[in-house]
Amino acid sequence: MNKVLRLITIMMVIAFVMPVSAFAEEGNSEKDNNGPGLAPNAKSAILLEQDTGEILFDKNAHEKLPPASMTKIMTLLLIMEALDEENLKKDEMIRVSERAASMGGSQIFLEAGEEMSVDDLLKGVAIASGNDASVALAERIAGSEEAFVKKMNERAKELKLENTNFQNTTGLPAENHYSTSYDMAVIANELLKYESITDYTSVYEDYLRKGQDNEFWLVNTNKLVRFYPDVDGLKTGYTSEAKYCLTATAERDEMRVIAVVMGAESPKERNTMVSGLLDYAFNQFETNKLFEKDEKITDVRLLKSKQKNVDIVTKQSISTLHKKGEAEKDIHTEVELQETWNLPVKRGDEVGKLYVKDNEKVLYEIPLTVEEDIERTSYFNLLKRTVQEMVKAR
């Protein structure tokens, strides 16, 4: 809704440590953040704090490389969005096509004609990196894998990712299928807004078809969920071309970080480099939580809506980031809401922005939305409210 915006200022004086510049330029982060020696043998790497989107470290973060099964981070994002929009239900049974069952590489050994719940297929993707499960879900959501891949690339454009192009849902080798560590981190950040995803990606082992003759043992391809404290995702990847890749996430003391490594020579080396990135983040940085996800920021009075007063909430949790031990400063926040409202408005539609500022410098810019669907009121109620407003104005 590209309407003229009106400014509502909310002043908050908060003890704050000056953050690093948002989205530090590639190549500067090692020097600026004293992080030399991190991910030494990776072709590409990045370390990102979730709430602020700040880059704590990067190495060749925009170099186009094959992402292998880290492709499934985007696949999972579209699945979670379909669930959130209620276009898909976890207890729904999906019939597996011959094409889905024929997928090679990592799989949960689906058979053509077999029926499996969305919940179990989601486990198959998130825990075991099942290519067959990925295609089965893609076909259910978009009608075909090709149509789903089109949605994946459209979503990448919406996220303003310029160095990503997908050819399939799985990450199996394909010409012109590429991404970057930066783009993978951004997609992972978007996926993690659906907090229930870690209910799947944090599981080290589980079973499908429990108690049946074709029972299948799921073992997480991301060993760090078991061996590194606080890691609860996210996705590994390997092909002979891509080498060993991993997008990992961990949360500690209300700070969640995302670490991506691409092109490692062995799984041990990959896990060691990701562990080093996570150690660096938790040893050197901390956050100050300002607002939780879906927390009310302000409200607005809408004469033409069913609800007289509409709560404005954040689409994500909001924090400030600082290096441990730095001097404190004061910040304030400002809210910008659209002036003209074209009803109806759906939950999740952007209706304004929250700016976190240091004096006049904008540190972060966060979308705001409404906490529920807003529908136009009836003509009778509108007339009644108009009369009431006229009486109050006398």
Side-chain angles (χ1 to χ4, degrees):
M1 302 175 187
N2 297 319
K3 302 294 182 181
V4 179
L5 299 180
R6 64 188 174 86
L7 185 65
I8 303 173
T9 305
I10 303 175
M11 299 298 292
M12 296 179 181
V13 179
I14 303 173
F16 173 64
V17 181
M18 185 65 177
V20 212
S21 297
F23 290 91
E25 293 182 7
E26 180 190 356
N28 290 339
S29 50
E30 287 189 67
K31 179 180 178 181
D32 294 347
N33 293 310
N34 299 315
L38 296 174
N41 299 319
K43 289 183 180 179
S44 175
I46 196 167
L47 180 63
L48 187 77
E49 195 281 320
Q50 184 194 22
D51 277 2
T52 63
E54 292 219 27
I55 297 172
L56 310 181
F57 169 87
D58 72 82
K59 174 184 178 182
N60 304 326
H62 298 288
E63 181 179 347
K64 295 178 183 178
L65 295 167
S69 279
M70 292 196 306
T71 297
K72 295 186 182 81
I73 298 172
M74 178 62 89
T75 303
L76 287 167
L77 173 59
L78 296 189
I79 293 168
M80 297 304 292
E81 289 178 343
L83 287 167
D84 185 62
E85 294 163 4
E86 299 186 348
N87 294 326
L88 190 67
K89 296 187 181 299
K90 288 184 179 180
D91 60 358
E92 177 185 342
M93 301 300 291
I94 292 180
R95 187 176 186 276
V96 178
S97 71
E98 288 188 11
R99 188 173 189 282
S102 70
M103 289 294 109
S106 300
Q107 55 187 301
I108 58 172
F109 298 97
L110 295 172
E111 295 183 7
E114 177 182 2
E115 291 192 350
M116 184 172 282
S117 70
V118 168
D119 189 59
D120 281 347
L121 289 169
L122 186 49
K123 288 180 185 178
V125 178
I127 301 172
S129 193
N131 295 329
D132 45 2
S134 298
V135 173
L137 284 165
E139 290 176 340
R140 162 60 184 84
I141 292 170
S144 68
E145 185 181 15
E146 291 77 12
F148 189 88
V149 170
K150 183 179 179 182
K151 288 179 176 288
M152 293 169 70
N153 288 319
E154 288 172 351
R155 194 70 179 91
K157 288 181 180 178
E158 289 173 4
L159 293 171
K160 299 180 181 179
L161 305 180
E162 300 177 354
N163 297 307
T164 290
N165 189 68
F166 298 115
Q167 296 290 347
N168 56 52
T169 65
T170 61
L172 288 169
E175 187 177 352
N176 207 34
H177 186 100
Y178 57 82
S179 189
T180 68
S181 59
Y182 172 86
D183 289 7
M184 282 288 112
V186 172
I187 300 168
N189 198 352
E190 197 70 15
L191 174 60
L192 286 163
K193 291 177 183 178
Y194 298 93
E195 295 174 356
S196 63
I197 190 60
T198 56
D199 294 340
Y200 297 89
T201 59
S202 64
V203 175
Y204 184 71
E205 59 181 344
D206 202 345
Y207 288 89
L208 297 176
R209 314 180 191 93
K210 183 73 171 177
Q212 300 179 31
D213 291 340
N214 57 347
E215 178 178 286
F216 185 77
W217 182 34
L218 295 172
V219 180
N220 204 319
T221 58
N222 179 12
K223 306 308 178 189
L224 291 185
V225 301
R226 184 174 183 179
F227 297 110
Y228 189 101
D230 306 312
V231 167
D232 51 8
L234 200 54
K235 193 70 203 71
T236 59
Y238 170 78
T239 64
S240 57
E241 180 187 13
K243 303 300 183 183
Y244 292 90
C245 307
L246 174 58
T247 297
T249 183
E251 183 176 28
R252 186 180 301 171
D253 298 328
E254 293 194 319
M255 181 175 79
R256 177 175 289 281
V257 294
I258 299 163
V260 183
V261 162
M262 301 180 75
E265 290 296 327
S266 70
K268 180 179 180 180
E269 185 176 60
R270 171 189 66 188
N271 292 347
T272 297
M273 288 190 288
V274 168
S275 297
L277 289 169
L278 297 176
D279 287 343
Y280 174 68
F282 294 127
N283 288 337
Q284 297 295 318
F285 297 90
E286 59 188 355
T287 56
N288 177 29
K289 185 76 73 176
L290 302 184
F291 301 102
E292 298 289 348
K293 181 183 177 183
D294 297 325
E295 183 175 343
K296 177 181 174 181
I297 303 299
T298 185
D299 56 43
V300 63
R301 185 181 177 91
L302 297 178
L303 183 64
K304 296 182 180 180
S305 73
K306 282 187 178 180
Q307 304 94 323
K308 258 189 174 182
N309 292 301
V310 175
D311 287 345
I312 306 300
V313 301
T314 66
K315 297 181 75 170
Q316 63 191 71
S317 57
I318 302 170
S319 301
T320 55
L321 174 74
H322 56 271
K323 292 198 76 173
K324 291 181 177 180
E326 286 192 345
E328 293 183 348
K329 291 197 174 184
D330 294 335
I331 65 168
H332 68 276
T333 62
E334 293 179 0
V335 173
E336 250 184 11
L337 296 180
Q338 59 190 26
E339 186 171 276
T340 304
W341 291 67
N342 293 325
L343 302 179
V345 175
K346 291 185 178 181
R347 180 178 66 89
D349 287 349
E350 186 175 324
V351 298
K353 293 185 183 298
L354 175 75
Y355 297 96
V356 180
K357 289 187 171 184
D358 171 33
N359 292 320
E360 294 304 311
K361 180 182 178 182
V362 176
L363 302 175
Y364 313 118
E365 181 180 314
I366 299 95
L368 297 176
T369 185
V370 291
E371 67 173 358
E372 59 183 326
D373 294 344
I374 308 300
E375 298 180 2
R376 184 181 291 273
T377 192
S378 66
Y379 176 78
F380 175 78
N381 283 337
L382 179 59
L383 181 61
K384 181 180 176 181
R385 288 181 188 174
T386 302
V387 172
Q388 290 173 341
E389 292 296 325
M390 291 173 64
V391 171
K392 287 180 182 179
R394 289 182 178 182

